[in-house]
Amino acid sequence: MAQIPLPIRLDIYARFSTFVAGENQVVLDHLLGISADQRAQILWIWGPSGSGKSHLLQALCASENDSGRSAIYLPMKNPGLPGPGVLDGLEALDFVAIDDVAQIAGVSDWEYALFALYNELLTQDGCLLMAASRPPSVIAFSLPDLASRAAGAVVYRLEPLDEDAALVALKEHASCRGLELPDASAHYLMRHVERNMSALCGSLEKLDVASMVSQRRLTVPFIRDVLEI
Amino acid sequence: MTENPAVCPSLWPQCTRALKAELSEQQFNTWIRPLQAVEEGSVLTLLAPNRFVIDWVKQHCLDLISAELRSAPNSGSASVVLEVGSRRKLSATESRNPPLPKLGPSEPKVIGSPLNSLFTFDQFVEGKSNQLARAAAVQVGTNPGHAYNPLFIYGGVGLGKTHLMHAIGNVILRRKPTARVAYIHSERFVSDMVRGLQHNKISAFKKTYRTLDALLIDDIQFFAGKERSQEEFFHTFNALLEGQRQIVLTCDRYPKEVVGLEERLKSRFGWGLTVAIEPPELETSVAILMSKAAAEHCQLPEEVAFFIAQRIRSNVRELEGALRRVMANSRFTGQPITLQFTKDALRDLLALQEKLVTIENIQKTVAGYFKIRVADLLAKRRSRSITRPRQIAMSLAKELTTHSLPEIGDAFGGRDHTTVLHACRRVKFLGETETRIAEDYANLLRTLSG
């Protein structure tokens, strides 16, 4: 009889300790130093999907919270997010992370709300970290004041992981899920799933559930069956 | 009383453990992390930044939190309260800026945003583009209410208007620590007023603003189209001016050019002194970079400063962003800042600019700006309405790309390189003698290199 997985969530995964930096060590070092630096900071990280932007934003939220500082993570692609009013009062927090910020470009109410938040955070020594797939200078903000402020952020490009680093990251992710991922299976996933960490981790999540239901190990034939490769 | 979720010994950490197990990581980071727990007696108060967070937590987590509280040992009849609020951040800004003197009991105690004490006249790098604005601001800071009232500073984004405004406020407070100075962004003025109306506290709002010693309002273009706010601001403006209190305003354009602003306001803005801040020339940009680096105790070679300033011309804010990035790279890699190091640190930014600034892109942008067709720029026509934009486009191509004069001539309908040279000289001459041409050229330069 198949086992029904319990609706229990994973413990928090997106931490600095589980981030495989690859060529992004400078970005990681900068973010690790944010808590210690009490001054206002505006940062923008950009890179292709799966390069680790959301991971870093959430890791910083967790790390700030662990140090007793208040933080929030707002993914702009989340359809469940209410209107721009959700940005009200965030200047009272120590750290604000806004993911997929390009989503609000051209949406007047959101742009004004982000502009106001930027101004308030700056005067209250808060930290604003934004992430997008492109750098601020090419995002089509309709409010010039917001565009210029975004362009004045410290901008970092996240480089996607090379094959070796991606393999390490994949195994790290599996280990966080309590899964044993043999080398042969990891290589198989790397060869057959789209080569970015979002896609790889998404596949791993599917495999996690399937393996629990069928009580099977992550062998290559099992992976092939589940992912229908 | 326990104020910090990280050190709270009992109830809240237990609740967060249960919530972590129940919510997705994203939900936890969005809705639970911003909560600040305060335990007092048997009441757990959760402070949220706004009502949206409260609504979400109430809808999705309140039952679970209540259940956890009930199951906690010795918690007795513990209850949870959700409200909008915050433990105050003990920040460098707060310690730098004492709050405004207390007002009456019904009035807000703090108006606007704190002044940034790092924005001083000493830190403001002066150049041809901003010296008049700086001189006027110094006068206003040392002689508020009398020198120029109102002082209206206008110019493009990121050129230092806000810096000057804060510097004025800082000087006024240094000379008279009991002065009631409020720095506020016009958006915030509008939202404070709306809140005052909603909560029936508009008279307190009026009194608060009309009894200041100095009111510094940033970006007044955001008043455009907001009639009720303009009406209120008009009366505040009059009251302050009558009492010889200082008003400083900034805007992204000349007051008469703000569409949606009442004529009576536009006219009053011109009663004092209106000064412009222009984009900095190359030498001023270099001086700004050197000054910012020195303030951070960073050794910035002059050739690096020139390199950055030559490539980033749109505004000072972006210039500073690039410098901060270079300094951060140097700090975290332990390498000294050299020209090659800077090129590596900014490589994606520079690559992007080179991609954007092509002759073709310049032609399209110039044609769009002057509302003519690209084909006109390439054709043989020699009417002034076409010749002038063509000369400007050629001059921009020379300045912003690495193409040679013959290559540029080729790209403009097969013209000779001497035609390009003549165009560059002509634009330089006209820029010095005709303000309009200088403005057009500066606008296009900003658009293309921004």
Side-chain angles (χ1 to χ4, degrees), chain B residues 14 91 158 174 176 241 290 349 372-373:
Chain B
Q14 183 179 331
S91 66
R174 199 181 64 229
K176 188 183 170 195
L241 226 53
M290 301 295 281
L349 186 73
I372 56 175
R373 294 175 307 145

Side-chain angles (χ1 to χ4, degrees), chain A residues 7-15 23 26 29-31 33 37-39 42 46 58 61-62 65-75 78 80-94 112 115-116 118-127 135 137-138 143-145 148-157 159, chain B residues 4-6 20-36 49-50 52-53 56 85-94 96-97 112-116 118-119 157-158 161-162 166 183 185 187-188 218-219 221-222 226 252 296 315 317-318 320-322 324-325 328-329 331-333 345 347-349 352 356 450:
Chain A
I8 290 178
R9 302 281 183 176
L10 275 178
D11 196 3
I12 301 302
Y13 165 72
R15 294 289 181 142
E23 290 178 40
V26 171
D29 288 343
H30 193 151
L31 298 186
D37 196 340
Q38 291 281 304
R39 291 174 305 174
I42 311 291
W46 67 280
Q58 296 192 79
C61 265
N65 226 196
D66 289 348
S67 336
R69 285 155 55 92
S70 49
I72 191 168
Y73 169 75
L74 288 168
N78 184 344
L81 218 55
V86 77
L87 301 185
D88 285 355
L90 298 190
E91 66 274 9
L93 304 178
D94 296 296
Y112 276 109
F115 174 62
Y118 174 103
N119 291 328
E120 293 295 327
L121 272 173
L122 213 58
T123 53
Q124 301 199 24
D125 290 326
C127 177
S137 50
V138 298
L143 190 59
D145 306 76
S148 100
R149 278 159 176 80
V154 175
V155 182
Y156 285 112
R157 178 184 151 84
E159 300 294 341
Chain B
N4 190 324
K20 268 182 196 172
E22 198 64 31
L23 303 173
S24 75
E25 180 177 15
Q26 207 175 80
Q27 287 172 329
F28 188 85
N29 287 332
T30 302
W31 306 110
I32 306 302
R33 289 207 188 277
L35 298 175
Q36 297 175 314
N50 56 53
F52 292 98
V53 175
W56 198 93
S86 161
R87 286 182 285 118
R88 305 231 346 116
K89 278 195 287 190
L90 183 61
S91 66
T93 306
E94 272 176 307
R96 286 195 303 261
N97 300 293
S113 307
L115 288 171
N116 187 335
L118 299 175
F119 286 168
V157 290
K161 303 186 296 291
T162 304
H166 280 255
Y183 163 76
H185 194 269
E187 278 279 297
R188 173 85 181 267
D218 218 350
D219 289 326
Q221 70 270 19
F222 288 105
K226 293 169 181 137
D252 67 349
E296 299 278 332
N315 63 59
R317 202 174 274 134
E318 202 170 334
E320 288 178 18
R324 276 197 294 271
R325 184 166 162 188
N329 268 269
R331 187 160 68 243
F332 294 118
T333 57
R347 67 181 184 279
D348 52 317
L349 186 73
L352 197 77
L356 286 175

Side-chain angles (χ1 to χ4, degrees), chain B residues 43-64:
Chain B
V43 179
L44 171 66
T45 304
L46 296 176
L47 301 172
N50 56 53
R51 67 178 174 81
F52 292 98
V53 175
I54 289 189
D55 290 348
W56 198 93
V57 173
K58 271 188 181 164
Q59 195 183 339
H60 297 89
C61 310
L62 197 57
D63 290 347
L64 182 69

Side-chain angles (χ1 to χ4, degrees), chain B residues 179-421:
Chain B
R180 292 174 19 81
V181 178
Y183 163 76
I184 191 162
H185 194 269
S186 62
E187 278 279 297
R188 173 85 181 267
F189 181 89
V190 173
S191 59
D192 279 3
M193 195 199 73
V194 171
R195 212 168 292 139
L197 286 168
Q198 280 171 344
H199 298 101
N200 228 3
K201 287 183 176 165
I202 194 67
S203 54
F205 171 88
K206 287 177 179 176
K207 195 172 165 196
T208 301
Y209 278 98
R210 292 179 194 182
T211 53
L212 291 166
D213 293 309
L215 174 61
L216 320 172
I217 296 207
D218 218 350
D219 289 326
I220 58 105
Q221 70 270 19
F222 288 105
F223 277 143
K226 293 169 181 137
E227 287 164 19
R228 180 71 177 83
S229 302
Q230 287 184 33
E231 168 83 23
E232 183 49 44
F233 183 64
F234 176 76
H235 294 301
T236 303
F237 187 96
N238 288 339
L240 291 175
L241 226 53
E242 275 166 25
Q244 291 193 312
R245 315 298 173 92
Q246 182 65 46
I247 299 172
V248 184
L249 308 156
T250 71
C251 187
D252 67 349
R253 67 205 78 173
Y254 191 67
K256 297 238 182 291
E257 290 173 8
V258 183
V259 180
L261 205 59
E262 285 181 33
E263 283 306 319
R264 57 180 181 166
L265 270 179
K266 287 184 190 176
S267 117
R268 271 164 175 74
F269 290 163
W271 282 2
L273 180 68
T274 302
V275 283
I277 297 192
E278 303 287 344
E281 329 75 66
L282 180 65
E283 293 75 10
T284 310
S285 293
V286 170
I288 289 169
L289 288 170
M290 301 295 281
S291 156
K292 296 283 172 192
E296 299 278 332
H297 310 291
C298 168
Q299 290 281 342
L300 184 71
E302 206 171 89
E303 62 168 354
V304 172
F306 266 98
F307 176 80
I308 299 174
Q310 272 166 341
R311 271 146 190 87
I312 296 166
R313 292 152 181 265
S314 48
N315 63 59
V316 178
R317 202 174 274 134
E318 202 170 334
L319 201 63
E320 288 178 18
L323 174 67
R324 276 197 294 271
R325 184 166 162 188
V326 172
M327 291 193 298
N329 268 269
S330 162
R331 187 160 68 243
F332 294 118
T333 57
Q335 292 182 52
I337 298 176
T338 62
L339 193 55
Q340 189 54 48
F341 178 84
T342 304
K343 284 179 184 172
D344 288 343
L346 300 178
R347 67 181 184 279
D348 52 317
L349 186 73
L350 301 175
L352 197 77
Q353 279 190 346
E354 277 164 22
K355 209 165 105 191
L356 286 175
V357 186
T358 60
I359 296 182
E360 195 187 8
N361 193 16
I362 290 171
Q363 289 169 339
K364 272 189 202 158
T365 309
V366 172
Y369 185 85
F370 288 106
K371 302 196 170 38
I372 56 175
R373 294 175 307 145
V374 172
D376 293 332
L377 290 176
L378 312 185
K380 300 283 175 204
R381 285 179 60 191
R382 297 179 69 176
S383 67
R384 178 175 282 200
S385 62
I386 302 298
T387 309
R388 200 66 82 225
R390 187 187 293 138
Q391 287 175 332
I392 288 177
M394 285 179 174
S395 182
L396 285 165
K398 181 73 191 85
E399 184 166 353
L400 294 175
T401 71
T402 51
H403 289 289
S404 63
L405 294 176
E407 283 170 338
I408 295 171
D410 271 351
F412 279 84
R415 287 179 158 79
D416 191 72
H417 77 278
T418 51
T419 311
V420 182
L421 196 60

Side-chain angles (χ1 to χ4, degrees), chain A residues 96-126:
Chain A
V96 178
I98 300 188
D99 208 352
D100 292 311
V101 67
Q103 284 290 117
I104 66 160
V107 188
S108 179
D109 288 356
W110 275 102
E111 287 198 9
Y112 276 109
L114 180 57
F115 174 62
L117 174 63
Y118 174 103
N119 291 328
E120 293 295 327
L121 272 173
L122 213 58
T123 53
Q124 301 199 24
D125 290 326

